Structures are given as structure tokens and as C-alpha cells.
Amino acid sequence: MKGLRQEIKNIHDRVLQSRPKSLDEYISKMKAQKVEVIPTINKANQLPGFRVEYKGVNLKASEVDRSMSGNRLIPQIVQNKSFTRLKEVPKTFQVLGKTVQLSSNLSTKIAKEILKGTIKIIKDTGIGIGY
């Protein structure tokens, strides 16, 4: 099982290196590599995470590797949408032609990533925040 998880993780890393601009693009690139990514949508129409199926084995994405959890994957893909950093947290997300709400955990994670990026830009450009 460990070898199978490592194969899925390696495929995931290669797909992310191609910088997919949407979750649908990520899913289709994973499918081209024979890994089926299945979004998990709960009754409240929220997207808490994903499952992956590879060589007949179905696992939660976070069981394969923590970097594949919804909390980590979606912010990476959202940042690939444009060359500039996001200025606000998206409230909904398009998955397989269906609009779903982001869970509060995912929204919080994306907000943290935006804040970290803004602080990094301020530090890198030498713009100080005066006291």
C-alpha cells in the first residue's frame, strides 16, 4: 500500500508542476495519468475534500499524503489562476461544472495564504509598515 501511495503522490507532484489553473484541469490531468480524483461534496453543497482511485484502490486524498488534502490543494490551484496574487477569498468554487461552496476551513486556509503572500510582497519590496 505504501508503494501505491508513493506512486499517486509522484503523479500528483508532476501534475502540480504543470500549474493547473482550475480544479477541473487538475482532475483531468490526474485522470490522464490513470488517477481518478473524486470530489467529495456534502449535503450542504460544500467541498470538504477529495478521494482518489488508482489501480482499483480508493483512498481519501489526505491518506495518500497531507499535501493532497483539500485544505492544501485548493489554495495552490486558486493561486495558479492568475499571475497576481488573490486579493479576496473566493466563496464558491467550480468543480466538474457544478458550483460548490467552500467549507469554512478551506476559506480560512485560503485567507491565510493570501495574507502570507501579501506580507511576503511587502517584505520583498522593502515597503515598511510604519510604527
Side-chain angles (χ1 to χ4, degrees):
M1 187 66 92
K2 187 173 180 142
L4 195 63
R5 288 179 180 171
Q6 189 60 45
E7 282 183 56
I8 296 169
K9 171 73 167 106
N10 291 340
I11 293 169
H12 164 78
D13 290 339
R14 283 195 308 268
V15 167
L16 281 185
Q17 285 176 353
S18 69
R19 298 184 59 88
K21 303 220 183 320
S22 70
L23 196 52
D24 287 339
E25 185 179 343
Y26 170 80
I27 291 171
S28 66
K29 286 182 178 190
M30 289 290 282
K31 191 172 190 170
Q33 300 293 321
K34 308 287 189 248
V35 178
E36 185 78 28
V37 178
I38 306 159
T40 305
I41 300 171
N42 63 19
K43 290 179 182 178
N45 199 34
Q46 293 179 334
L47 179 71
F50 303 94
R51 294 192 71 83
V52 292
E53 190 171 319
Y54 183 65
K55 294 185 178 178
V57 177
N58 190 320
L59 299 166
K60 284 174 45 177
S62 60
E63 289 176 344
V64 174
D65 190 80
R66 282 295 187 203
S67 67
M68 292 181 69
S69 70
N71 282 347
R72 296 191 179 157
L73 179 63
I74 290 176
Q76 285 181 303
I77 292 174
V78 168
Q79 291 299 329
N80 290 341
K81 278 189 173 183
S82 65
F83 293 110
T84 59
R85 295 200 61 91
L86 287 173
K87 293 175 180 61
E88 64 183 51
V89 179
K91 305 240 185 300
T92 59
F93 207 73
Q94 194 78 14
V95 182
L96 301 174
K98 184 177 180 184
T99 302
V100 294
Q101 294 177 341
L102 292 176
S103 68
S104 59
N105 289 344
L106 286 176
S107 296
T108 303
K109 175 69 175 176
I110 293 170
K112 284 181 184 178
E113 292 298 319
I114 291 170
L115 214 56
K116 285 179 189 176
T118 304
I119 291 170
K120 184 177 182 329
I121 290 171
I122 290 171
K123 286 181 179 179
D124 290 349
T125 58
I127 299 172
I129 300 174
Y131 289 97

Short mmCIF file of all heavy atoms in Angstrom, two decimals, residues 67-91:
data_model
loop_
_atom_site.label_atom_id
_atom_site.label_comp_id
_atom_site.label_asym_id
_atom_site.label_seq_id
_atom_site.Cartn_x
_atom_site.Cartn_y
_atom_site.Cartn_z
N SER A 67 -0.30 16.74 1.70
CA SER A 67 -0.31 17.84 0.72
C SER A 67 -1.46 17.69 -0.27
O SER A 67 -1.76 18.62 -1.02
CB SER A 67 1.01 17.90 -0.03
OG SER A 67 1.18 16.76 -0.85
N MET A 68 -2.13 16.54 -0.28
CA MET A 68 -3.23 16.32 -1.20
C MET A 68 -4.59 16.61 -0.56
O MET A 68 -5.62 16.46 -1.21
CB MET A 68 -3.20 14.88 -1.72
CG MET A 68 -2.02 14.60 -2.62
SD MET A 68 -2.01 12.92 -3.25
CE MET A 68 -3.42 12.95 -4.35
N SER A 69 -4.61 17.04 0.70
CA SER A 69 -5.88 17.35 1.36
C SER A 69 -6.50 18.59 0.72
O SER A 69 -5.81 19.42 0.13
CB SER A 69 -5.68 17.56 2.85
OG SER A 69 -4.98 18.76 3.08
N GLY A 70 -7.80 18.73 0.84
CA GLY A 70 -8.49 19.87 0.26
C GLY A 70 -7.96 21.19 0.79
O GLY A 70 -7.85 22.17 0.06
N ASN A 71 -7.60 21.22 2.08
CA ASN A 71 -7.08 22.45 2.69
C ASN A 71 -5.77 22.92 2.06
O ASN A 71 -5.43 24.09 2.16
CB ASN A 71 -6.83 22.24 4.19
CG ASN A 71 -8.10 22.30 4.99
OD1 ASN A 71 -9.14 22.72 4.51
ND2 ASN A 71 -8.03 21.84 6.22
N ARG A 72 -5.03 22.03 1.47
CA ARG A 72 -3.74 22.41 0.87
C ARG A 72 -3.81 22.48 -0.64
O ARG A 72 -3.13 23.30 -1.26
CB ARG A 72 -2.67 21.43 1.31
CG ARG A 72 -2.46 21.53 2.81
CD ARG A 72 -1.26 20.79 3.26
NE ARG A 72 -1.14 20.97 4.73
CZ ARG A 72 -0.50 20.15 5.50
NH1 ARG A 72 0.07 19.09 5.01
NH2 ARG A 72 -0.44 20.38 6.78
N LEU A 73 -4.61 21.62 -1.25
CA LEU A 73 -4.66 21.55 -2.71
C LEU A 73 -5.39 22.75 -3.32
O LEU A 73 -4.90 23.36 -4.26
CB LEU A 73 -5.33 20.24 -3.15
CG LEU A 73 -5.49 20.02 -4.64
CD1 LEU A 73 -4.12 19.96 -5.30
CD2 LEU A 73 -6.27 18.76 -4.90
N ILE A 74 -6.55 23.08 -2.79
CA ILE A 74 -7.36 24.15 -3.38
C ILE A 74 -6.65 25.50 -3.35
O ILE A 74 -6.64 26.19 -4.36
CB ILE A 74 -8.76 24.20 -2.73
CG1 ILE A 74 -9.53 22.95 -3.17
CG2 ILE A 74 -9.52 25.45 -3.12
CD1 ILE A 74 -10.89 22.79 -2.55
N PRO A 75 -6.02 25.91 -2.23
CA PRO A 75 -5.30 27.19 -2.28
C PRO A 75 -4.20 27.22 -3.33
O PRO A 75 -3.98 28.25 -3.98
CB PRO A 75 -4.71 27.33 -0.87
CG PRO A 75 -5.64 26.54 0.00
CD PRO A 75 -6.08 25.38 -0.87
N GLN A 76 -3.50 26.10 -3.54
CA GLN A 76 -2.47 26.05 -4.57
C GLN A 76 -3.07 26.29 -5.96
O GLN A 76 -2.53 27.04 -6.76
CB GLN A 76 -1.76 24.70 -4.57
CG GLN A 76 -0.80 24.51 -3.44
CD GLN A 76 -0.13 23.16 -3.53
OE1 GLN A 76 -0.80 22.12 -3.56
NE2 GLN A 76 1.18 23.16 -3.58
N ILE A 77 -4.17 25.64 -6.25
CA ILE A 77 -4.80 25.76 -7.56
C ILE A 77 -5.40 27.14 -7.74
O ILE A 77 -5.28 27.74 -8.81
CB ILE A 77 -5.84 24.64 -7.76
CG1 ILE A 77 -5.12 23.30 -7.87
CG2 ILE A 77 -6.69 24.90 -9.00
CD1 ILE A 77 -6.01 22.10 -7.93
N VAL A 78 -6.01 27.69 -6.69
CA VAL A 78 -6.59 29.03 -6.77
C VAL A 78 -5.51 30.06 -7.10
O VAL A 78 -5.73 30.98 -7.89
CB VAL A 78 -7.33 29.38 -5.45
CG1 VAL A 78 -7.68 30.85 -5.39
CG2 VAL A 78 -8.59 28.55 -5.32
N GLN A 79 -4.32 29.89 -6.54
CA GLN A 79 -3.23 30.84 -6.80
C GLN A 79 -2.71 30.71 -8.24
O GLN A 79 -2.11 31.64 -8.75
CB GLN A 79 -2.08 30.62 -5.82
CG GLN A 79 -2.40 31.03 -4.40
CD GLN A 79 -2.74 32.50 -4.28
OE1 GLN A 79 -2.24 33.33 -5.00
NE2 GLN A 79 -3.63 32.81 -3.35
N ASN A 80 -2.91 29.58 -8.89
CA ASN A 80 -2.46 29.39 -10.27
C ASN A 80 -3.35 30.09 -11.29
O ASN A 80 -2.99 30.19 -12.45
CB ASN A 80 -2.41 27.90 -10.63
CG ASN A 80 -1.32 27.17 -9.91
OD1 ASN A 80 -0.38 27.78 -9.40
ND2 ASN A 80 -1.43 25.86 -9.85
N LYS A 81 -4.53 30.56 -10.87
CA LYS A 81 -5.47 31.15 -11.81
C LYS A 81 -4.90 32.37 -12.53
O LYS A 81 -5.23 32.62 -13.67
CB LYS A 81 -6.77 31.55 -11.11
CG LYS A 81 -7.72 30.42 -10.91
CD LYS A 81 -9.03 30.92 -10.42
CE LYS A 81 -10.04 29.79 -10.41
NZ LYS A 81 -11.34 30.22 -10.00
N SER A 82 -4.08 33.12 -11.85
CA SER A 82 -3.52 34.31 -12.48
C SER A 82 -2.10 34.51 -11.97
O SER A 82 -1.67 33.89 -11.02
CB SER A 82 -4.38 35.54 -12.16
OG SER A 82 -4.32 35.81 -10.78
N PHE A 83 -1.39 35.42 -12.62
CA PHE A 83 -0.02 35.67 -12.22
C PHE A 83 0.06 36.56 -10.99
O PHE A 83 1.06 36.60 -10.31
CB PHE A 83 0.76 36.32 -13.37
CG PHE A 83 0.94 35.39 -14.53
CD1 PHE A 83 0.27 35.61 -15.71
CD2 PHE A 83 1.76 34.29 -14.43
CE1 PHE A 83 0.42 34.74 -16.78
CE2 PHE A 83 1.91 33.41 -15.48
CZ PHE A 83 1.24 33.64 -16.66
N THR A 84 -1.01 37.26 -10.68
CA THR A 84 -1.04 38.10 -9.48
C THR A 84 -1.69 37.32 -8.36
O THR A 84 -2.48 36.41 -8.59
CB THR A 84 -1.84 39.39 -9.74
OG1 THR A 84 -3.17 39.04 -10.10
CG2 THR A 84 -1.20 40.21 -10.84
N ARG A 85 -1.40 37.73 -7.16
CA ARG A 85 -1.98 37.06 -6.01
C ARG A 85 -3.43 37.50 -5.83
O ARG A 85 -3.81 38.58 -6.23
CB ARG A 85 -1.18 37.39 -4.75
CG ARG A 85 0.23 36.81 -4.87
CD ARG A 85 0.91 36.67 -3.55
NE ARG A 85 0.28 35.79 -2.62
CZ ARG A 85 0.52 34.49 -2.49
NH1 ARG A 85 1.34 33.90 -3.29
NH2 ARG A 85 -0.08 33.79 -1.55
N LEU A 86 -4.20 36.66 -5.23
CA LEU A 86 -5.61 36.98 -4.98
C LEU A 86 -5.71 38.11 -3.97
O LEU A 86 -4.88 38.25 -3.10
CB LEU A 86 -6.33 35.76 -4.40
CG LEU A 86 -6.61 34.63 -5.36
CD1 LEU A 86 -7.18 33.45 -4.58
CD2 LEU A 86 -7.58 35.05 -6.41
N LYS A 87 -6.76 38.89 -4.11
CA LYS A 87 -7.00 39.99 -3.18
C LYS A 87 -8.13 39.67 -2.21
O LYS A 87 -8.28 40.32 -1.20
CB LYS A 87 -7.30 41.26 -3.95
CG LYS A 87 -6.09 41.75 -4.74
CD LYS A 87 -6.44 42.94 -5.59
CE LYS A 87 -5.26 43.45 -6.36
NZ LYS A 87 -4.69 42.51 -7.29
N GLU A 88 -8.95 38.68 -2.52
CA GLU A 88 -10.03 38.30 -1.63
C GLU A 88 -10.27 36.79 -1.72
O GLU A 88 -9.90 36.14 -2.68
CB GLU A 88 -11.32 39.05 -1.94
CG GLU A 88 -11.88 38.75 -3.31
CD GLU A 88 -13.11 39.58 -3.61
OE1 GLU A 88 -13.07 40.79 -3.45
OE2 GLU A 88 -14.11 38.97 -4.01
N VAL A 89 -10.90 36.27 -0.70
CA VAL A 89 -11.16 34.83 -0.62
C VAL A 89 -12.39 34.49 -1.44
O VAL A 89 -13.44 35.10 -1.27
CB VAL A 89 -11.40 34.42 0.85
CG1 VAL A 89 -11.69 32.93 0.95
CG2 VAL A 89 -10.21 34.79 1.71
N PRO A 90 -12.28 33.51 -2.36
CA PRO A 90 -13.48 33.10 -3.11
C PRO A 90 -14.46 32.38 -2.20
O PRO A 90 -14.07 31.65 -1.30
CB PRO A 90 -12.92 32.17 -4.18
CG PRO A 90 -11.62 31.69 -3.66
CD PRO A 90 -11.10 32.77 -2.75
N LYS A 91 -15.74 32.61 -2.42
CA LYS A 91 -16.78 31.98 -1.59
C LYS A 91 -17.26 30.66 -2.19
O LYS A 91 -17.72 29.78 -1.49
CB LYS A 91 -17.96 32.94 -1.45
CG LYS A 91 -17.56 34.31 -0.92
CD LYS A 91 -18.25 34.61 0.37
CE LYS A 91 -17.99 36.00 0.86
NZ LYS A 91 -16.66 36.35 1.13
#
